[in-house]
Amino acid sequence: MKKRLLALFTAVLLLAGAVSAFAGGQSEKAAPKKQLNFVFAPGVVDPFYYTMQRGAEKAAKKYGVNLIVTEYPKSWGPAVQVPILQATVARGNIDMVIIAPTATDALIAPLKKLYDQGIEIITVDTFLGNGDYSAKSDFSFPLSYIGSDNVAGGKLLAEALAKMLGEKGQVYVNSTNPDVSSVNGRVDGFKEGVAEYPNMQLVGVDYNLDVEQKAEQETSAILQKYPHLAGIFGTNLYSAQGAYHAVVNAGLTGAVKIVSFDATTDLINALKQKQIDLVLAQKPADMGYLAVEWGYKYFTEKAQIPKHIATGFELFTQQNVNDPDMQQYIYSK
Ligand code: T6T
């Protein structure tokens, strides 16, 4: 009898233990994670943003984020980018928008509207206003700006060009738009750099509106107007591609030195052919990857995202253009 009572008692204890372990297990189990939906809104159809998209997709895969990529705008500017963005966000249930704003001011209102609806914003490559999201202002609502230090890049290329030219001569800049933070920063940095050399003269800045043919025509006109032109800075891939084609067509390869932002296959091949002298590669894949990674950490760990994350550069020269290590920095479709 005693034995049977003991067995019964043990059985009750075991059962109680099992029940509590089951209940405890249930309560300890984390609530199922919410699916995060991020939108990626590129600036325009170009290999720079395709490379950025691949970086974003890599992080999205790692963290289980659903990344919705908007249609690629076929031309540059808010008139094309904003309706595409709005159509994508209208699907609903979006947690964050990762966007390269195509204008510093015109994108503030449409993005603020999304923010007021509860959607977080990270800007990549380009920023809103003056880009300082740490001081309170009408454009400081994005969590972060992740991109190149464009002023530093422009300055660095001015100094490199000055060295190539013996610190003297006329130089010219071909850029895209006057209201875009990235290329504007590059122009400002370049001007600062040139100003350090009293025997260098900046003859002008043209804007091609992201149309390569226009960049080529503008550069051809400048080559005619300034027969002694010594150097050119192309502030992005369309500007630099148009500019070097104009120089080649004028038979001035080598006589006019060219430095550029953006490492497309076209520009890298031109460097190999000595049709361009220096190519600065940005790190678009890192911009996309970091935006998704920080966004994920913000939503899941309440991480404090730095208001500005600079992604750095690589410089392609005649010396390193064939190095196996450098090939990863060439943009691709
Ligand atoms: O240079 C990049 C980007 O940084 C800029 O904001 C716009 O032009 C590119 O996409 C190259 O076409």
Side-chain angles (χ1 to χ4, degrees):
M1 180 68 181
K2 239 184 178 180
K3 254 189 184 175
R4 280 171 87 190
L5 262 179
L6 192 67
L8 189 66
F9 183 64
T10 316
V12 167
L13 271 185
L14 281 176
L15 189 65
V19 167
S20 97
F22 179 71
Q26 284 281 307
S27 65
E28 272 160 28
K29 208 170 168 192
K33 272 190 191 156
K34 176 189 174 303
Q35 173 65 63
L36 289 171
N37 298 309
F38 292 179
V39 165
F40 171 58
V44 76
V45 182
D46 81 17
F48 173 84
Y49 293 112
Y50 282 121
T51 307
M52 190 185 292
Q53 179 185 333
R54 278 199 302 281
E57 283 169 345
K58 191 171 167 196
K61 193 165 174 217
K62 175 169 176 189
Y63 293 109
V65 168
N66 178 33
L67 187 72
I68 302 151
V69 179
T70 71
E71 183 193 324
Y72 271 67
K74 297 209 172 31
S75 59
W76 186 273
V80 191
Q81 187 184 40
V82 172
I84 291 177
L85 173 68
Q86 284 167 343
T88 310
V89 171
R91 296 183 201 176
N93 212 14
I94 304 300
D95 300 291
M96 188 166 84
V97 166
I98 297 167
I99 183 166
T102 51
T104 46
D105 293 337
L107 262 291
I108 296 174
L111 290 176
K112 179 72 172 26
K113 203 168 163 199
L114 299 184
Y115 175 74
D116 289 341
Q117 289 164 19
I119 298 173
E120 296 293 348
I121 313 286
I122 288 183
T123 70
V124 279
D125 174 44
T126 48
F127 53 67
L128 300 177
N130 68 8
D132 181 4
Y133 300 156
S134 60
K136 199 155 171 47
S137 68
D138 62 343
F139 56 79
S140 63
F141 54 88
L143 290 170
S144 183
Y145 158 58
I146 304 178
S148 299
D149 183 338
N150 290 296
V151 177
K155 192 164 181 196
L156 190 149
L157 291 184
E159 282 159 1
L161 188 57
K163 295 284 168 285
M164 287 178 206
L165 300 178
E167 304 187 2
K168 60 178 189 302
Q170 295 176 327
V171 293
Y172 160 72
V173 178
N174 196 279
S175 191
T176 61
N177 295 272
D179 61 348
V180 178
S181 70
S182 54
V183 288
N184 250 352
R186 295 168 202 170
V187 174
D188 288 349
F190 188 81
K191 283 181 177 167
E192 254 180 59
V194 169
E196 286 171 5
Y197 301 94
N199 296 325
M200 287 184 73
Q201 183 205 356
L202 177 61
V203 298
V205 181
D206 279 327
Y207 295 96
N208 60 55
L209 312 178
D210 258 289
V211 180
E212 189 173 322
Q213 275 171 331
K214 192 161 157 59
E216 188 172 336
Q217 286 159 5
E218 289 167 343
T219 309
S220 298
I222 288 288
L223 290 171
Q224 293 204 346
K225 190 167 172 198
Y226 298 98
H228 299 296
L229 193 80
I232 298 179
F233 170 35
T235 69
N236 87 333
L237 66 90
Y238 294 114
S239 318
Q241 286 173 184
Y244 99 78
H245 285 136
V247 170
V248 170
N249 291 342
L252 291 168
T253 307
V256 177
K257 302 284 179 203
I258 306 175
V259 295
S260 85
F261 250 73
D262 291 327
T264 55
T265 314
D266 184 358
L267 292 173
I268 294 299
N269 286 339
L271 180 66
K272 288 181 184 167
Q273 310 280 320
K274 302 200 166 116
Q275 294 169 327
I276 287 199
D277 301 277
L278 188 61
V279 173
L280 182 152
Q282 303 186 71
K283 304 223 171 134
D286 290 358
M287 296 176 200
Y289 188 94
L290 289 170
V292 172
E293 181 171 68
W294 274 109
Y296 173 81
K297 290 185 173 168
Y298 172 81
F299 283 106
T300 57
E301 302 166 14
K302 296 193 170 63
Q304 284 283 322
I305 310 181
K307 292 285 178 189
H308 177 200
I309 300 174
T311 42
F313 316 119
E314 296 292 331
L315 287 176
F316 280 91
T317 62
Q318 302 290 350
Q319 286 69 42
N320 70 8
V321 69
N322 291 311
D323 284 2
D325 278 2
M326 291 298 288
Q327 307 312 304
Q328 60 182 304
Y329 301 115
I330 302 174
Y331 313 166
S332 57
K333 224 182 151 196

